[in-house]
């Protein structure tokens, strides 16, 4: 009772009071804010397991991170920096490139005006060792083709399905039609790996996830990782918070809190 904890749950966290099993809670490290705690678990567990458990990231390798300015993207960039001499390629809109360079992306690519696969090949003709794929559809095929021999593609989302505020059935059909498909025999000839990751189906794996959280807390305490907060929104501005992401304005994590921060409330009163 009274412990400050981070919580992992598949859904139902956009509310003032949450009830979860004790096994899905983790002690917050000293000096961590609640906003940082809210931004840590999902993004950093995902990035860590993709890069290290599936990706087997090692010194002198290269990684392509899509949506590099988002929550998982910023976590992955920081985790890449914990390994010696890792070259990071990151796709994001041009307005975010300076921020990405500061955070450790060697080669930011504007996916809106350039073919990111061509840009990667210009710098690294053989491709990259690891691709983090949250996009799905035809981008998964591009990712596979960008892998070096012994490279690894980890797919963990289908962001191409989301094109705006409403469901776009044409976009869904197109993404489904273009979805990457390969059989085991074809993989033999490529010397590449394809992995799928979904943290939502991992919450029952208490020992596995708990071990990752322990490593992340240790990295946080050493100052090697720090959740990047883009903005904090009270519950009554949830539509604005969602718009911040839909319009791709965020650099880092968009956080919801039950009430407006006290400083802002005081300013409004004055």
């Amino acid at each position: 009772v009274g412990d400050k904890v981070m919580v992992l749950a598949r859904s139902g966290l956009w509310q003032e009071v949450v009830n979860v099993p004790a096994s899905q809670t983790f002690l917050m490290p000293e000096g961590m804010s609640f906003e940082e705690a809210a931004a840590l678990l999902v993004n950093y567990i995902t990035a860590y397991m993709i890069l290290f458990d599936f990706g087997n990231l090692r010194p002198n390798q290269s990684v392509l991170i899509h949506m590099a300015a988002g929550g998982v993207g910023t976590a992955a960039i920081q985790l890449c920096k914990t390994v010696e001499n890792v070259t990071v390629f990151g796709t994001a809109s041009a307005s975010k490139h300076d921020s990405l360079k500061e955070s450790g992306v060697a080669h930011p690519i504007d996916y809106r005006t350039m073919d990111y696969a061509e840009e990667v090949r210009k710098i690294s003709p053989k491709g990259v060792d690891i691709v983090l794929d949250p996009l799905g559809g035809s981008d998964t095929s591009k990712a596979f083709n960008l892998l070096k021999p012994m490279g690894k593609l980890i797919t963990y989302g289908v962001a191409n399905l989301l094109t705006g505020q409403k469901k776009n059935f044409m976009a869904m059909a197109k993404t489904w039609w273009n979805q990457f498909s390969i059989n085991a025999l074809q993989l033999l000839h490529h010397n590449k790996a394809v992995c799928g990751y979904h943290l939502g189906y991992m919450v029952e794996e208490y020992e596995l996830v708990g071990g990752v959280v322990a490593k992340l807390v240790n990295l946080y305490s050493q100052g090697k990782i720090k959740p990047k907060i883009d903005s904090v929104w009270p519950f009554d501005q949830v539509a604005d918070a969602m718009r911040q992401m839909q319009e791709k304005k965020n650099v880092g994590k968009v956080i919801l809190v039950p009430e407006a921060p006290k400083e802002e409330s005081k300013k409004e009163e004055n």
Side-chain angles (χ1 to χ4, degrees):
V1 174
D3 283 344
K4 294 180 178 180
V5 295
M6 304 177 276
V7 173
L8 202 56
R10 281 195 69 173
S11 61
L13 295 180
W14 292 10
Q15 51 196 27
E16 292 173 357
V17 179
V18 177
N19 188 4
V20 296
S23 56
Q24 287 173 222
T25 64
F26 305 91
L27 286 171
M28 284 168 56
E30 202 69 37
M32 177 179 274
S33 69
F34 285 116
E35 287 78 13
E36 284 182 329
L40 185 87
L41 287 187
V42 170
N43 294 147
Y44 282 81
I45 292 171
T46 298
Y48 188 96
M49 296 187 87
I50 285 173
L51 284 171
F52 297 111
D53 294 320
F54 270 146
N56 191 26
L57 179 63
R58 299 192 302 281
N60 306 313
Q61 290 191 321
S62 54
V63 181
L64 171 59
I65 301 172
H66 286 296
M67 298 164 65
V72 174
T74 52
I77 292 163
Q78 290 179 14
L79 289 168
C80 283
K81 286 173 71 178
T82 67
V83 179
E84 193 179 350
N85 199 30
V86 169
T87 303
V88 178
F89 296 82
T91 65
S93 46
S95 61
K96 301 174 183 178
H97 285 194
D98 288 343
S99 172
L100 289 180
K101 281 181 180 173
E102 284 172 25
S103 65
V105 176
H107 307 290
I109 301 167
D110 183 359
Y111 64 95
R112 294 180 179 182
T113 60
M114 299 172 171
D115 181 326
Y116 64 82
E118 282 181 20
E119 294 304 308
V120 170
R121 293 262 184 221
K122 283 178 191 174
I123 298 157
S124 178
K126 281 191 170 182
V128 294
D129 295 290
I130 301 170
V131 179
L132 279 61
D133 170 36
L135 303 175
S138 58
D139 285 292
T140 308
S141 302
K142 286 174 83 168
F144 187 78
N145 291 328
L146 268 178
L147 291 177
K148 291 179 180 178
M150 298 304 291
K152 299 164 190 76
L153 159 64
I154 303 97
T155 183
Y156 67 99
V158 198
N160 284 333
L161 290 177
L162 304 172
T163 56
Q165 292 184 15
K166 296 180 180 177
K167 285 182 180 175
N168 182 330
F169 289 104
M170 284 298 290
M172 292 173 78
K174 185 181 175 187
T175 302
W176 183 261
W177 180 257
N178 290 323
Q179 190 56 43
F180 175 73
S181 179
I182 192 165
N183 65 43
L185 204 55
Q186 289 171 308
L187 276 176
L188 276 177
H189 307 297
H190 286 285
N191 290 308
K192 298 176 181 181
V194 180
C195 312
Y197 181 84
H198 193 310
L199 178 57
Y201 295 100
M202 200 85 78
V203 289
E204 303 286 308
E205 301 295 330
Y206 306 123
E207 285 184 25
L208 188 58
V209 173
V212 174
V213 175
K215 289 169 186 167
L216 292 172
V217 167
N218 190 33
L219 288 170
Y220 177 87
S221 299
Q222 292 175 39
K224 291 183 177 178
I225 61 172
K226 186 175 177 64
K228 190 174 182 68
I229 311 295
D230 172 78
S231 49
V232 179
W233 308 77
F235 281 1
D236 59 8
Q237 291 179 28
V238 64
D240 296 322
M242 293 299 289
R243 203 170 292 117
Q244 178 80 353
M245 291 190 294
Q246 282 169 347
E247 294 175 1
K248 300 187 174 165
K249 291 178 179 175
N250 62 303
V251 176
K253 193 72 175 160
V254 175
I255 299 288
L256 289 178
V257 294
E259 297 171 355
K262 287 176 184 175
E263 288 177 18
E264 287 183 20
S265 302
K266 284 175 186 173
K267 283 179 191 171
E268 285 170 14
E269 285 169 17
N270 294 338

